[in-house]
Amino acid sequence: PVLDKFKQFLKKTYGTYIRAWRCALSPNDSMSLQKIPFFKACAELGWSNDVKLLWHAFGKDEIGTLCLDELDARSAVILAHFQVLVEQKLGGVANAFAALDRTSIKKVRFDDFSASLRELGFKEPVKTLFHGLDRHGNKFLVQEDLKFLERWKPPAFLTIPPSFQAQQEVKDALLHRYKYYLKAWRRSLDQEGSNRCSWGEFCAACKKLGFVGDVAGAWRAFDNDMSGYITLREIDPESNDVLVEFRRWATQQFGSVRTAFQVFDDDISDSVDIREFRRGLRIYGFEGNAVLLFRALDVEGRGDLCMAEVAFLDEWDLGEEAQEKAAARARSKCILQRATKKVGTA
């Protein structure tokens, strides 16, 4: 996927995502980046692939902005914890630098930096942080290297622990409002149909729900892999897996989910009921759970599907790893079902 390739390119070129952000993507040390500056930065750093596709892969539209946590959430967490230490515990950049500058030479090398942070109880990876702060590769820091932290207000979720209680409260609220997770996903969390929900989209959905609990803690619980976004799988794994399996199968068999629907729609009515749907799946060799798949897609509970209720899957950004995991789980389920049938008939 283009996003994975871009991140690999940045990591290989700059060593860490923090330095890549500060040196290449946002050399003015702004912690948010709009579309045109992002396109220009990609051109200047020599990224020759489709920049529009890359921007879309981040889940952005024409007026969206990209933040460090969306490039790499783990790096953003490290930097955010340091920012909190600097601003809240040490009283600002000037005081913080004075505390780090043990030898009072207005330069802080890695050993002193590391020792000082450990004494202050900083638990995040120090080497990654130092490398990102040392944007010019001097192998030492000066006070100016920390000044950008004064302007940055890190999102709340970067510095607090996951709250699994809040996560369950959000899931309960989604079910109460929408009855089905997939309906909640498509109507509220992922309205663009990319199978990615950003922190901003999550906050907007919680506000729409009237949820006033620990939004940041719930986000951290959902985004347990620190990818910087959540997918349907982190809301409803069962529905996600059967949909990914179907998307993968339909793409292999017909080229797209849209085409598969057209094949199933014998009477060209733009409507496929469960009988037609199961018949099409059976004829063309789909081995997944047809009933669960239909139920996952039929979010309105009408008993039939139209093109729009299935074609959105063609736009999902699954990523190779997600597809492989879903395929492996699907194969395991099929093997288990066959084994159970054999035992039952023995």
Side-chain angles (χ1 to χ4, degrees):
V2 64
L3 186 54
D4 291 340
K5 291 179 180 177
F6 181 66
K7 293 183 68 172
Q8 290 168 7
F9 173 76
L10 292 179
K11 194 73 178 284
K12 182 178 180 180
T13 306
Y14 296 97
T16 64
Y17 294 115
I18 299 174
R19 181 180 282 185
W21 181 271
R22 300 187 65 208
C23 290
L25 296 178
S26 183
N28 65 351
D29 269 334
S30 171
M31 298 306 287
S32 63
L33 198 58
Q34 294 183 326
K35 180 180 176 180
I36 298 304
F38 177 75
F39 282 16
K40 289 181 178 178
C42 288
E44 290 174 2
L45 63 86
W47 175 255
S48 59
N49 292 313
D50 190 335
V51 184
K52 290 183 179 179
L53 183 62
L54 175 61
W55 184 251
H56 180 71
F58 277 113
K60 301 300 175 184
D61 55 20
E62 291 296 319
I63 59 174
T65 58
L66 180 69
C67 299
L68 176 62
D69 58 273
E70 295 171 297
L71 175 66
D72 187 66
R74 290 183 176 87
S75 297
V77 165
I78 297 169
L79 189 60
H81 276 92
F82 181 67
Q83 194 268 358
V84 169
L85 175 69
V86 167
E87 293 295 322
Q88 297 182 14
K89 188 170 183 178
L90 298 178
V93 167
N95 291 337
F97 189 81
L100 297 171
D101 184 16
R102 295 184 165 201
T103 55
S104 300
I105 61 173
K106 301 188 185 304
K107 294 180 181 179
V108 178
R109 298 191 181 276
F110 176 74
D111 289 344
D112 287 340
F113 183 77
S114 178
S116 296
L117 288 189
R118 293 310 177 206
E119 289 176 8
L120 290 166
F122 189 77
K123 297 180 181 179
E124 301 298 326
V126 176
K127 190 173 182 180
T128 299
L129 175 62
F130 185 88
H131 188 275
L133 294 173
D134 180 21
R135 64 186 298 180
H136 301 297
N138 294 323
K139 300 189 184 305
F140 62 80
L141 302 178
V142 296
Q143 185 172 319
E144 188 64 26
D145 290 323
L146 311 186
K147 290 289 288 182
F148 75 100
L149 295 173
E150 294 177 335
R151 304 187 300 273
W152 184 38
K153 297 192 183 316
F157 73 88
L158 292 176
T159 54
I160 68 168
S163 172
F164 298 102
Q165 178 180 340
Q167 178 190 36
Q168 189 58 51
E169 290 170 356
V170 171
K171 292 182 72 173
D172 291 345
L174 289 170
L175 276 185
H176 179 74
R177 171 71 66 88
Y178 297 100
K179 295 186 179 179
Y180 300 98
Y181 284 128
L182 183 59
K183 185 176 181 179
W185 180 255
R186 294 184 60 196
R187 293 284 181 83
S188 181
L189 294 162
D190 180 33
Q191 295 182 41
E192 295 180 359
S194 63
N195 196 30
R196 290 191 177 197
C197 174
S198 69
W199 163 245
E201 291 169 325
F202 184 75
C203 289
C206 286
K207 184 177 181 179
K208 187 176 179 180
L209 284 172
F211 180 75
V212 294
D214 185 1
V215 176
W219 170 266
R220 283 296 300 270
F222 279 121
D223 185 23
N224 55 10
D225 60 353
M226 291 298 292
S227 62
Y229 58 87
I230 61 176
T231 67
L232 177 62
R233 186 171 189 277
E234 288 155 318
I235 301 289
D236 183 9
E238 187 175 37
S239 293
N240 177 83
D241 288 353
V242 72
L243 291 173
V244 170
E245 180 188 9
F246 173 65
R247 211 294 280 275
R248 183 171 173 270
W249 172 82
T251 302
Q252 290 176 343
Q253 291 290 324
F254 304 99
S256 69
V257 172
R258 181 179 291 272
T259 303
F261 181 87
Q262 291 172 334
V263 172
F264 295 173
D265 184 17
D266 290 336
D267 56 1
I268 318 178
S269 61
D270 192 34
S271 176
V272 173
D273 62 25
I274 189 169
R275 182 188 60 79
E276 294 174 297
F277 192 72
R278 292 181 69 181
R279 178 173 176 272
L281 293 174
R282 184 179 66 254
I283 290 173
Y284 292 99
F286 181 72
E287 296 183 343
N289 189 323
V291 175
L292 180 60
L293 173 60
F294 188 89
R295 191 183 303 141
L297 291 168
D298 184 20
V299 294
E300 300 297 341
R302 295 192 315 266
D304 58 51
L305 301 173
C306 66
M307 175 68 81
E309 290 174 306
V310 299
F312 73 94
L313 288 171
D314 285 328
E315 307 304 319
W316 269 21
D317 180 7
L318 301 179
E320 294 176 2
E321 184 179 358
Q323 291 193 51
E324 290 171 1
K325 287 182 178 179
R329 287 190 293 270
R331 287 194 295 270
S332 297
K333 286 181 181 179
C334 286
I335 291 171
L336 182 60
Q337 288 170 356
R338 288 171 181 170
T340 302
K341 287 181 180 178
K342 287 182 179 179
V343 171
T345 56

